[in-house]
Amino acid sequence: MTLPSTTLPAVVALSAAAAVALSPAVAAAQPPGAFDSVQHSLLLEERYRDYTAVLPTDYDETRAYPIILAFGGYGDSAASYREYANIEQAVDGEAIVVYAQAVNNAWAGAPYAVTTMDEDVDYVRAVVDDVVENYSGDPERVFATGMSNGGGFAAALSCHAPTLVDAVVAVAGAYYNESVTNCRFAQRVPTLLVHGAHDEMMSFGGGYRHGAAYLGVERTLKNLATRNGCVPDSLHERSADEGTTTFSADNCEVDTEILRVDDYGHTWFEDPEAERVAVDFFRRQA
């Protein structure tokens, strides 16, 4: 099965203020499993920013591949997030997986981040442009996922840069106010928030951490649901399976959902496997 095409417009061009200078690609160390990966450095506003792209084992430069952007949690490097996220195994050669590198291992929107939202969004635009130019990435099939702070940033992309991503899956997301409020309404973005019912670090119901308030999962989805054409403030239980419950907003134009993992806390889930939940959601988007 291939990840489906979407009808969403291509990525917005990088602003002149964030002009990019590219260094040559460098082959990354290969983990067990023999996926091919490359590393690039981009110069943005006098700061070098890196990313690692994991290519399909049968990579064909004449084929256009979906791009899955992957953002680690606070303290995760691109390499350490890749070690546990296993997203390239879940896509099984159907997409290019990009493990993005945050400055000081923290993404914008959180109180501990040293970058602004505009700076990190410009970085992501530059990464997408680079993958499209050098590795046959498809700018009309760009998906984003992440863990904790990275999950909050994936949701922030759908909020603040909706023309950049075609769907997002946030896992155990840190939904600080800056990340998921004052959203732009340029287009609909299918959204899935995956969260443990017993998350003590980023509570399902919201709270206060690192000196700042963060939104609960339901409030976050309702904010994003308004952008997706859903009935305002609507949310209902749609289905329940062993260990999980799915909630969705009403009359949405695109999928807008919560998957609550009932017996888990703050983690990249193993049951169900977070990477496969994310990839399956991306496959559903037509």
Side-chain angles (χ1 to χ4, degrees):
M1 179 186 299
T2 58
L3 293 172
S5 299
T6 70
T7 57
L8 300 178
V11 162
V12 176
L14 184 65
S15 65
V20 181
L22 303 179
S23 67
V26 179
Q30 299 302 306
F35 288 91
D36 293 329
S37 63
V38 291
Q39 292 178 338
H40 261 186
S41 289
L42 313 176
L43 180 59
L44 301 171
E45 301 253 344
E46 299 183 353
R47 191 201 299 269
Y48 279 100
R49 300 288 301 267
D50 301 329
Y51 74 87
T52 299
V54 185
L55 306 178
T57 52
D58 58 350
Y59 171 72
D60 178 359
E61 65 181 7
T62 67
R63 173 184 170 187
Y65 290 94
I67 301 168
I68 297 179
L69 303 166
F71 305 99
Y74 179 36
D76 277 333
S77 66
S80 65
Y81 178 47
R82 181 185 176 191
E83 286 180 359
Y84 68 81
N86 297 317
I87 298 169
E88 56 266 34
Q89 284 85 352
V91 301
D92 194 24
E94 297 175 7
I96 297 169
V97 181
V98 175
Y99 290 96
Q101 176 60 55
V103 175
N104 291 355
N105 296 333
W107 295 104
Y112 41 76
V114 299
T115 48
T116 66
M117 186 64 66
D118 285 345
E119 183 177 356
D120 275 350
V121 169
D122 275 348
Y123 159 72
V124 176
R125 291 193 193 281
V127 168
V128 171
D129 287 347
D130 196 49
V131 174
V132 170
E133 179 178 356
N134 291 291
Y135 304 112
S136 304
D138 186 345
E140 295 189 5
R141 291 183 291 170
V142 178
F143 307 101
T145 190
M147 165 67 188
S148 192
N149 172 224
F153 184 64
L157 290 176
S158 78
C159 175
H160 299 290
T163 60
L164 178 56
V165 289
D166 298 305
V168 299
V169 175
V171 178
Y175 304 119
Y176 288 100
N177 289 337
E178 183 184 347
S179 299
V180 290
T181 59
N182 300 316
C183 296
R184 299 178 182 178
F185 286 74
Q187 69 181 33
R188 315 303 193 195
V189 181
T191 300
L192 173 62
L193 309 182
V194 187
H195 215 91
H198 303 292
D199 192 328
E200 296 182 355
M201 183 173 293
M202 304 305 300
S203 172
F204 193 92
Y208 196 82
R209 190 171 179 82
H210 294 287
Y214 64 89
L215 276 65
V217 180
E218 292 186 9
R219 183 68 261 169
T220 298
L221 191 78
K222 288 177 180 179
N223 283 1
L224 300 175
T226 301
R227 183 270 324 281
N228 283 345
C230 309
V231 174
D233 291 325
S234 67
L235 196 64
H236 67 273
E237 181 178 324
R238 195 186 73 197
S239 63
D241 202 350
E242 185 176 354
T244 64
T245 306
T246 301
F247 303 85
S248 59
D250 295 333
N251 299 335
C252 302
E253 295 182 18
V254 297
D255 291 337
T256 309
E257 303 172 354
I258 293 169
L259 179 65
R260 188 183 68 199
V261 186
D262 296 327
D263 295 327
Y264 274 79
H266 192 77
T267 187
W268 183 257
F269 301 101
E270 296 181 356
D271 184 17
E273 292 178 317
E275 63 272 19
R276 298 194 182 279
V277 169
V279 171
D280 287 347
F281 185 78
F282 298 149
R283 287 186 175 125
R284 281 165 47 190
Q285 309 316 314

